[in-house]
Amino acid sequence: MSWDIIGIYATSAALIIGAIFAMVGAIGLIKFNDPMVRMHAPTKVGTVGIGALLAAAIIYNSVIGDGAIHAILIMAFLFVTAPISANFIAKVNIHRRNCDTLPAPEGDETWSTLNVSEADRAIAPQKDGAA
């Protein structure tokens, strides 16, 4: 068995794993009702599913092609940005009160995301349109 055949099998396995995670993420996005729970499914696709698909591209291009530095860079960028965007989506849901209020952290009286000073409240846009 040559390295080309092993590379094709590894590429196929990574493609199947990525496709399964993408399908599970899409089903989760459709089926879940709560925005915080709904956010969980696509983030798994963003990390594991897309990671497996990019791993397939890396393996294939390393064995058959000229290398895959661009796929490695895409994977690094994705793994850095996906958790940050999920964190911002969660913060928006918390501030809009679209989810249950989280319990207060033990031993800490302040929680930075919900602790808005009076000076910041004065400059925030008003909901009645009078800014």
Side-chain angles (χ1 to χ4, degrees):
M1 186 176 280
S2 67
W3 284 109
D4 291 347
I5 294 173
I6 293 172
I8 294 296
Y9 283 131
T11 302
S12 300
L15 285 174
I16 290 170
I17 291 169
I20 288 171
F21 270 92
M23 183 181 69
V24 169
I27 291 171
L29 186 62
I30 293 170
K31 290 289 184 181
F32 291 141
N33 295 330
D34 186 54
M36 296 294 272
V37 176
R38 181 180 261 183
M39 183 180 64
H40 183 72
T43 55
K44 298 305 159 236
V45 171
T47 53
V48 179
I50 302 298
L53 294 175
L54 287 172
I58 292 169
I59 294 168
Y60 182 79
N61 284 326
S62 297
V63 172
I64 306 296
D66 296 334
I69 189 69
H70 60 283
I72 293 170
L73 292 174
I74 292 170
M75 186 181 286
F77 181 74
L78 182 72
F79 286 166
V80 169
T81 58
I84 294 170
S85 62
N87 187 22
F88 281 120
I89 292 170
K91 280 188 170 186
V92 167
N93 281 316
I94 289 171
H95 284 283
R96 288 184 161 195
R97 309 274 187 214
N98 289 339
C99 58
D100 295 336
T101 303
L102 300 175
E106 292 181 27
D108 189 6
E109 298 297 323
T110 60
W111 194 36
S112 63
T113 56
L114 296 178
N115 219 2
V116 179
S117 67
E118 289 297 324
D120 290 339
R121 288 183 189 164
I123 61 171
Q126 303 298 316
K127 289 186 177 182
D128 60 356

